[in-house]
Amino acid sequence: MGNQIKTIGVLTSGGDAPGMNAAIRAVVRTAIHHGLNVKGIKRGYAGLLKEEIVDMDGLSVADIIHRGGTILYTARCLEFMTEEGQEKGAEICRKHGIDSLVVIGGDGSFRGAQALAALGINTVGVPGTIDLDIACSDYTIGFDTAVNTAMEAIDKVRDTSTSHERCSIIEVMGRNAGYIALWCGIANGAEDILLPERYDNDEQKLIDRIIENRKRGKKHHIIVNAEGIGHSTSMAKRIEAATGIETRATILGHMQRGGTPTCKDRVYASIMGAKAVDLLMEGRSKRLVAYKRGSYVDFDIDEALAMSKDIAEDQYEIFKGLVR
Ligand code: ADP
Ligand code: F6P
Protein backbone atom coordinates (compact mmCIF):
# COMPACT_ATOMS: atom_id res chain seq x y z
CA MET A 1 0.00 0.00 0.00
CA GLY A 2 1.31 3.49 -1.03
CA ASN A 3 1.24 5.89 1.89
CA GLN A 4 -0.54 3.56 4.27
CA ILE A 5 -3.89 5.23 4.45
CA LYS A 6 -6.17 3.79 7.10
CA THR A 7 -9.53 5.49 6.97
CA ILE A 8 -11.44 6.73 3.96
CA GLY A 9 -14.30 9.18 4.31
CA VAL A 10 -16.96 9.40 1.63
CA LEU A 11 -19.48 12.16 0.96
CA THR A 12 -21.91 13.28 -1.73
CA SER A 13 -22.18 16.99 -2.46
CA GLY A 14 -24.06 19.39 -4.75
CA GLY A 15 -27.09 18.17 -6.73
CA ASP A 16 -27.81 14.48 -6.27
CA ALA A 17 -27.67 12.11 -9.23
CA PRO A 18 -28.98 8.58 -9.81
CA GLY A 19 -26.06 6.19 -9.38
CA MET A 20 -24.49 8.05 -6.46
CA ASN A 21 -25.54 5.17 -4.21
CA ALA A 22 -23.75 2.69 -6.44
CA ALA A 23 -20.62 4.86 -6.17
CA ILE A 24 -20.88 5.03 -2.36
CA ARG A 25 -21.33 1.26 -2.24
CA ALA A 26 -18.26 0.73 -4.42
CA VAL A 27 -16.12 3.03 -2.26
CA VAL A 28 -17.21 1.32 0.95
CA ARG A 29 -16.92 -2.25 -0.28
CA THR A 30 -13.61 -1.74 -2.12
CA ALA A 31 -12.06 -0.05 0.91
CA ILE A 32 -13.25 -2.79 3.26
CA HIS A 33 -12.01 -5.43 0.83
CA HIS A 34 -8.54 -3.89 1.22
CA GLY A 35 -8.72 -3.76 5.01
CA LEU A 36 -9.43 -0.03 5.33
CA ASN A 37 -11.95 1.67 7.58
CA VAL A 38 -14.72 3.75 6.01
CA LYS A 39 -16.67 6.65 7.45
CA GLY A 40 -19.71 8.13 5.76
CA ILE A 41 -20.07 11.89 6.00
CA LYS A 42 -23.68 12.98 5.76
CA ARG A 43 -24.91 16.09 3.93
CA GLY A 44 -21.71 16.90 2.08
CA TYR A 45 -19.42 19.58 3.44
CA ALA A 46 -22.23 20.93 5.63
CA GLY A 47 -22.35 17.58 7.45
CA LEU A 48 -18.56 17.48 7.69
CA LEU A 49 -18.55 20.81 9.51
CA LYS A 50 -21.27 19.51 11.84
CA GLU A 51 -19.39 16.22 12.34
CA GLU A 52 -22.24 14.13 10.96
CA ILE A 53 -19.92 11.19 10.54
CA VAL A 54 -20.88 7.52 10.77
CA ASP A 55 -18.91 4.29 10.58
CA MET A 56 -19.75 2.24 7.53
CA ASP A 57 -19.41 -1.45 6.88
CA GLY A 58 -20.37 -3.77 4.05
CA LEU A 59 -23.93 -3.98 5.30
CA SER A 60 -24.39 -0.19 5.49
CA VAL A 61 -24.46 -0.17 1.71
CA ALA A 62 -26.57 -3.30 1.17
CA ASP A 63 -29.74 -2.90 -0.87
CA ILE A 64 -28.89 0.53 -2.29
CA ILE A 65 -27.38 -0.07 -5.74
CA HIS A 66 -30.80 0.18 -7.39
CA ARG A 67 -31.96 3.29 -5.55
CA GLY A 68 -31.93 6.87 -6.80
CA GLY A 69 -30.78 9.73 -4.57
CA THR A 70 -27.99 9.33 -2.07
CA ILE A 71 -28.18 7.50 1.26
CA LEU A 72 -25.61 9.99 2.62
CA TYR A 73 -27.86 12.93 1.68
CA THR A 74 -26.37 15.95 0.00
CA ALA A 75 -26.18 19.65 0.64
CA ARG A 76 -24.66 22.90 -0.47
CA CYS A 77 -22.51 24.65 2.11
CA LEU A 78 -21.45 28.29 1.90
CA GLU A 79 -19.23 28.07 4.99
CA PHE A 80 -17.02 25.53 3.25
CA MET A 81 -16.22 28.09 0.58
CA THR A 82 -14.27 30.11 3.17
CA GLU A 83 -10.71 29.32 4.29
CA GLU A 84 -11.88 29.04 7.90
CA GLY A 85 -14.54 26.52 6.89
CA GLN A 86 -12.02 24.45 4.95
CA GLU A 87 -9.50 24.47 7.81
CA LYS A 88 -12.24 23.43 10.21
CA GLY A 89 -13.19 20.63 7.80
CA ALA A 90 -9.62 19.35 7.58
CA GLU A 91 -9.32 19.49 11.38
CA ILE A 92 -12.54 17.50 11.79
CA CYS A 93 -11.26 14.88 9.32
CA ARG A 94 -8.07 14.52 11.41
CA LYS A 95 -10.08 14.34 14.64
CA HIS A 96 -12.07 11.41 13.22
CA GLY A 97 -8.98 9.71 11.80
CA ILE A 98 -10.07 10.37 8.21
CA ASP A 99 -6.84 10.58 6.24
CA SER A 100 -8.47 10.23 2.81
CA LEU A 101 -11.73 11.40 1.30
CA VAL A 102 -13.79 10.47 -1.75
CA VAL A 103 -15.98 13.34 -2.90
CA ILE A 104 -18.83 12.41 -5.23
CA GLY A 105 -20.27 15.50 -6.91
CA GLY A 106 -19.64 18.18 -9.51
CA ASP A 107 -17.14 20.97 -10.14
CA GLY A 108 -18.06 22.94 -7.01
CA SER A 109 -17.60 19.87 -4.84
CA PHE A 110 -14.19 19.23 -6.43
CA ARG A 111 -13.08 22.74 -5.46
CA GLY A 112 -13.78 21.70 -1.89
CA ALA A 113 -11.71 18.53 -2.42
CA GLN A 114 -8.91 20.67 -3.89
CA ALA A 115 -8.92 22.85 -0.77
CA LEU A 116 -8.86 19.86 1.58
CA ALA A 117 -5.96 18.30 -0.34
CA ALA A 118 -3.96 21.49 0.18
CA LEU A 119 -4.63 21.09 3.90
CA GLY A 120 -3.22 17.57 4.02
CA ILE A 121 -6.27 15.37 3.49
CA ASN A 122 -5.87 12.99 0.53
CA THR A 123 -8.80 13.56 -1.78
CA VAL A 124 -10.22 11.96 -4.92
CA GLY A 125 -13.29 13.22 -6.76
CA VAL A 126 -15.84 11.10 -8.60
CA PRO A 127 -17.99 12.92 -11.18
CA GLY A 128 -21.62 12.67 -10.09
CA THR A 129 -24.00 15.06 -11.83
CA ILE A 130 -26.83 14.69 -14.31
CA ASP A 131 -25.51 17.71 -16.24
CA LEU A 132 -22.50 15.95 -17.90
CA ASP A 133 -20.64 19.24 -17.45
CA ILE A 134 -17.34 17.97 -15.99
CA ALA A 135 -14.81 19.08 -18.60
CA CYS A 136 -12.27 16.28 -18.18
CA SER A 137 -14.81 13.45 -18.38
CA ASP A 138 -16.94 12.17 -21.22
CA TYR A 139 -19.28 10.66 -18.64
CA THR A 140 -20.79 11.72 -15.34
CA ILE A 141 -22.82 9.51 -13.04
CA GLY A 142 -26.54 10.21 -13.37
CA PHE A 143 -26.58 11.54 -16.92
CA ASP A 144 -27.81 8.30 -18.47
CA THR A 145 -30.70 7.92 -16.04
CA ALA A 146 -31.64 11.59 -16.36
CA VAL A 147 -31.74 11.56 -20.16
CA ASN A 148 -33.77 8.36 -20.15
CA THR A 149 -36.23 9.85 -17.67
CA ALA A 150 -36.50 13.04 -19.71
CA MET A 151 -36.83 11.08 -22.95
CA GLU A 152 -39.76 9.06 -21.61
CA ALA A 153 -41.47 12.20 -20.34
CA ILE A 154 -41.00 13.98 -23.68
CA ASP A 155 -42.47 10.96 -25.54
CA LYS A 156 -45.59 11.38 -23.40
CA VAL A 157 -45.83 15.10 -24.06
CA ARG A 158 -45.41 14.38 -27.74
CA ASP A 159 -48.48 12.07 -27.79
CA THR A 160 -50.78 14.76 -26.48
CA SER A 161 -49.05 17.45 -28.52
CA THR A 162 -49.80 15.49 -31.69
CA SER A 163 -53.43 14.82 -30.71
CA HIS A 164 -54.00 18.52 -30.16
CA GLU A 165 -51.80 19.55 -33.08
CA ARG A 166 -49.85 21.80 -30.78
CA CYS A 167 -46.39 23.16 -30.39
CA SER A 168 -44.74 21.98 -27.15
CA ILE A 169 -41.74 23.43 -25.45
CA ILE A 170 -40.18 21.01 -22.97
CA GLU A 171 -37.55 22.42 -20.66
CA VAL A 172 -34.88 20.04 -19.41
CA MET A 173 -32.24 20.50 -16.72
CA GLY A 174 -28.51 20.95 -17.20
CA ARG A 175 -27.69 24.22 -15.44
CA ASN A 176 -25.57 26.09 -18.04
CA ALA A 177 -24.91 23.02 -20.16
CA GLY A 178 -27.00 21.69 -23.05
CA TYR A 179 -26.06 17.99 -22.99
CA ILE A 180 -29.39 16.73 -21.68
CA ALA A 181 -31.21 18.92 -24.21
CA LEU A 182 -29.03 17.73 -27.09
CA TRP A 183 -29.44 14.06 -26.25
CA CYS A 184 -33.19 14.37 -25.76
CA GLY A 185 -33.49 16.39 -28.94
CA ILE A 186 -31.93 13.52 -30.86
CA ALA A 187 -33.64 10.70 -28.93
CA ASN A 188 -37.09 12.28 -29.05
CA GLY A 189 -36.91 13.38 -32.67
CA ALA A 190 -37.55 16.98 -31.67
CA GLU A 191 -38.07 19.65 -34.30
CA ASP A 192 -35.83 22.08 -32.43
CA ILE A 193 -33.33 22.09 -29.59
CA LEU A 194 -32.29 25.27 -27.86
CA LEU A 195 -28.84 24.91 -26.32
CA PRO A 196 -27.15 27.58 -24.20
CA GLU A 197 -23.95 26.84 -26.13
CA ARG A 198 -25.56 27.51 -29.54
CA TYR A 199 -28.88 29.39 -29.34
CA ASP A 200 -28.69 32.72 -31.13
CA ASN A 201 -31.86 34.12 -29.49
CA ASP A 202 -33.43 34.53 -32.90
CA GLU A 203 -37.00 33.68 -31.91
CA GLN A 204 -38.35 34.86 -35.26
CA LYS A 205 -36.35 32.13 -37.01
CA LEU A 206 -37.91 29.61 -34.63
CA ILE A 207 -41.40 30.97 -35.33
CA ASP A 208 -40.84 30.85 -39.09
CA ARG A 209 -39.81 27.18 -38.83
CA ILE A 210 -42.90 26.30 -36.82
CA ILE A 211 -45.17 27.95 -39.41
CA GLU A 212 -43.32 26.29 -42.30
CA ASN A 213 -43.53 22.86 -40.67
CA ARG A 214 -47.24 23.25 -40.08
CA LYS A 215 -47.72 24.16 -43.74
CA ARG A 216 -45.83 20.99 -44.70
CA GLY A 217 -48.30 18.96 -42.66
CA LYS A 218 -46.46 18.37 -39.38
CA LYS A 219 -48.91 17.74 -36.57
CA HIS A 220 -46.73 18.85 -33.73
CA HIS A 221 -43.61 20.87 -33.13
CA ILE A 222 -41.48 19.69 -30.23
CA ILE A 223 -38.90 22.14 -28.92
CA VAL A 224 -36.49 20.83 -26.29
CA ASN A 225 -35.31 23.88 -24.40
CA ALA A 226 -32.34 23.76 -22.03
CA GLU A 227 -32.66 25.17 -18.54
CA GLY A 228 -29.71 27.44 -19.33
CA ILE A 229 -31.96 29.29 -21.76
CA GLY A 230 -35.13 28.93 -19.70
CA HIS A 231 -38.17 31.22 -20.04
CA SER A 232 -40.19 28.39 -21.63
CA THR A 233 -43.56 29.68 -20.41
CA SER A 234 -43.16 33.19 -21.80
CA MET A 235 -41.64 31.77 -24.98
CA ALA A 236 -44.74 29.57 -25.41
CA LYS A 237 -47.03 32.59 -25.12
CA ARG A 238 -45.06 34.53 -27.70
CA ILE A 239 -44.96 31.58 -30.11
CA GLU A 240 -48.72 31.02 -29.79
CA ALA A 241 -49.40 34.71 -30.43
CA ALA A 242 -47.11 34.80 -33.45
CA THR A 243 -48.12 31.49 -35.07
CA GLY A 244 -51.74 31.05 -34.03
CA ILE A 245 -50.77 27.47 -33.05
CA GLU A 246 -51.65 26.43 -29.49
CA THR A 247 -48.38 26.21 -27.59
CA ARG A 248 -47.70 24.75 -24.17
CA ALA A 249 -44.62 24.71 -21.98
CA THR A 250 -43.66 21.79 -19.74
CA ILE A 251 -40.79 22.18 -17.31
CA LEU A 252 -39.63 18.70 -16.33
CA GLY A 253 -37.68 19.88 -13.26
CA HIS A 254 -36.44 17.66 -10.47
CA MET A 255 -38.08 14.46 -11.70
CA GLN A 256 -35.00 14.23 -13.93
CA ARG A 257 -32.77 13.83 -10.88
CA GLY A 258 -34.66 10.93 -9.34
CA GLY A 259 -35.54 7.35 -10.12
CA THR A 260 -33.88 3.99 -10.45
CA PRO A 261 -30.41 4.36 -11.95
CA THR A 262 -29.90 2.72 -15.33
CA CYS A 263 -27.52 -0.18 -15.78
CA LYS A 264 -24.96 2.19 -17.31
CA ASP A 265 -25.05 4.55 -14.34
CA ARG A 266 -24.73 1.66 -11.86
CA VAL A 267 -21.78 0.12 -13.68
CA TYR A 268 -19.88 3.37 -14.31
CA ALA A 269 -20.51 4.47 -10.72
CA SER A 270 -19.27 1.14 -9.37
CA ILE A 271 -16.11 1.30 -11.45
CA MET A 272 -15.41 4.96 -10.67
CA GLY A 273 -16.01 4.45 -6.94
CA ALA A 274 -13.62 1.51 -6.88
CA LYS A 275 -11.01 3.45 -8.92
CA ALA A 276 -11.17 6.30 -6.41
CA VAL A 277 -10.17 3.93 -3.60
CA ASP A 278 -7.42 2.41 -5.77
CA LEU A 279 -5.94 5.87 -6.35
CA LEU A 280 -5.94 6.67 -2.64
CA MET A 281 -4.30 3.33 -1.91
CA GLU A 282 -1.60 4.15 -4.45
CA GLY A 283 -0.84 7.25 -2.39
CA ARG A 284 -2.39 9.66 -4.92
CA SER A 285 -4.26 12.78 -3.84
CA LYS A 286 -6.07 15.73 -5.45
CA ARG A 287 -7.15 13.47 -8.31
CA LEU A 288 -10.37 13.19 -10.24
CA VAL A 289 -11.59 9.90 -11.70
CA ALA A 290 -12.82 10.39 -15.25
CA TYR A 291 -13.95 8.47 -18.32
CA LYS A 292 -12.19 9.61 -21.46
CA ARG A 293 -12.28 8.12 -24.98
CA GLY A 294 -13.39 4.74 -23.74
CA SER A 295 -11.07 4.41 -20.75
CA TYR A 296 -11.20 5.15 -17.05
CA VAL A 297 -8.45 7.64 -16.29
CA ASP A 298 -7.64 10.23 -13.64
CA PHE A 299 -6.62 13.87 -13.67
CA ASP A 300 -5.06 16.30 -11.26
CA ILE A 301 -7.95 18.36 -9.87
CA ASP A 302 -6.23 21.69 -10.63
CA GLU A 303 -5.83 20.66 -14.27
CA ALA A 304 -9.31 19.17 -14.47
CA LEU A 305 -10.94 22.34 -13.15
CA ALA A 306 -9.00 24.47 -15.63
CA MET A 307 -10.35 22.50 -18.60
CA SER A 308 -13.40 23.52 -20.57
CA LYS A 309 -15.69 21.51 -22.77
CA ASP A 310 -18.30 22.19 -25.39
CA ILE A 311 -21.16 20.12 -26.73
CA ALA A 312 -20.13 17.85 -29.60
CA GLU A 313 -20.54 19.95 -32.74
CA ASP A 314 -20.88 16.86 -34.93
CA GLN A 315 -23.80 15.61 -32.83
CA TYR A 316 -25.51 18.98 -33.13
CA GLU A 317 -24.96 19.03 -36.90
CA ILE A 318 -26.35 15.49 -37.18
CA PHE A 319 -29.42 16.55 -35.21
CA LYS A 320 -30.02 19.43 -37.63
CA GLY A 321 -29.76 17.06 -40.57
CA LEU A 322 -32.40 14.77 -39.06
CA VAL A 323 -35.05 17.48 -38.74
CA ARG A 324 -37.33 17.32 -41.76
P1 ADP B 1 -21.62 20.75 -7.75
O1 ADP B 1 -20.62 20.02 -6.95
O2 ADP B 1 -22.70 19.86 -8.27
O3 ADP B 1 -20.97 21.61 -8.84
P2 ADP B 1 -22.08 23.17 -6.18
O4 ADP B 1 -21.42 24.07 -7.17
O5 ADP B 1 -23.35 23.62 -5.57
O6 ADP B 1 -22.41 21.74 -6.78
O7 ADP B 1 -21.00 22.87 -5.03
C1 ADP B 1 -21.30 21.99 -3.97
C2 ADP B 1 -20.60 22.43 -2.74
O8 ADP B 1 -19.18 22.37 -2.93
C3 ADP B 1 -20.85 23.88 -2.31
O9 ADP B 1 -22.05 24.06 -1.61
C4 ADP B 1 -19.66 24.14 -1.41
O10 ADP B 1 -19.85 23.56 -0.15
C5 ADP B 1 -18.55 23.36 -2.13
N1 ADP B 1 -17.82 24.31 -2.98
C6 ADP B 1 -18.23 24.90 -4.11
N2 ADP B 1 -17.32 25.77 -4.60
C7 ADP B 1 -16.29 25.75 -3.71
C8 ADP B 1 -15.04 26.42 -3.61
N3 ADP B 1 -14.67 27.31 -4.54
N4 ADP B 1 -14.26 26.13 -2.57
C9 ADP B 1 -14.62 25.23 -1.63
N5 ADP B 1 -15.79 24.56 -1.66
C10 ADP B 1 -16.63 24.80 -2.67
O1 F6P C 1 -26.58 20.14 -11.19
C1 F6P C 1 -27.76 19.38 -11.21
C2 F6P C 1 -28.96 20.29 -11.29
O2 F6P C 1 -30.12 19.49 -11.31
C3 F6P C 1 -28.97 21.26 -12.47
O3 F6P C 1 -29.36 20.62 -13.67
C4 F6P C 1 -29.91 22.30 -11.99
O4 F6P C 1 -29.59 23.55 -12.58
C5 F6P C 1 -29.65 22.36 -10.52
O5 F6P C 1 -29.02 21.14 -10.16
C6 F6P C 1 -30.89 22.54 -9.69
O6 F6P C 1 -30.52 22.65 -8.36
P1 F6P C 1 -31.57 22.65 -7.15
O7 F6P C 1 -31.84 21.22 -6.81
O8 F6P C 1 -30.86 23.37 -6.08
O9 F6P C 1 -32.82 23.31 -7.62
Side-chain angles (χ1 to χ4, degrees), residues 14 41 60 66 98 107 127 164 173 190 216 269:
I41 300 164
S60 341
H66 60 297
I98 296 171
D107 274 350
H164 287 261
M173 274 189 168
R216 286 197 306 121

Side-chain angles (χ1 to χ4, degrees), residues 35-46:
L36 301 168
N37 303 314
V38 193
K39 297 199 184 222
I41 300 164
K42 293 190 174 174
R43 301 177 183 84
Y45 296 118

Side-chain angles (χ1 to χ4, degrees), residues 273-308:
K275 293 266 177 207
V277 175
D278 289 349
L279 285 168
L280 290 168
M281 288 180 55
E282 287 163 14
R284 318 283 298 281
S285 178
K286 194 164 62 73
R287 305 298 297 179
L288 193 54
V289 179
Y291 184 79
K292 201 80 189 158
R293 293 186 205 94
S295 300
Y296 295 92
V297 291
D298 57 279
F299 288 89
D300 176 82
I301 291 188
D302 300 342
E303 286 170 21
L305 290 175
M307 293 178 186
S308 58

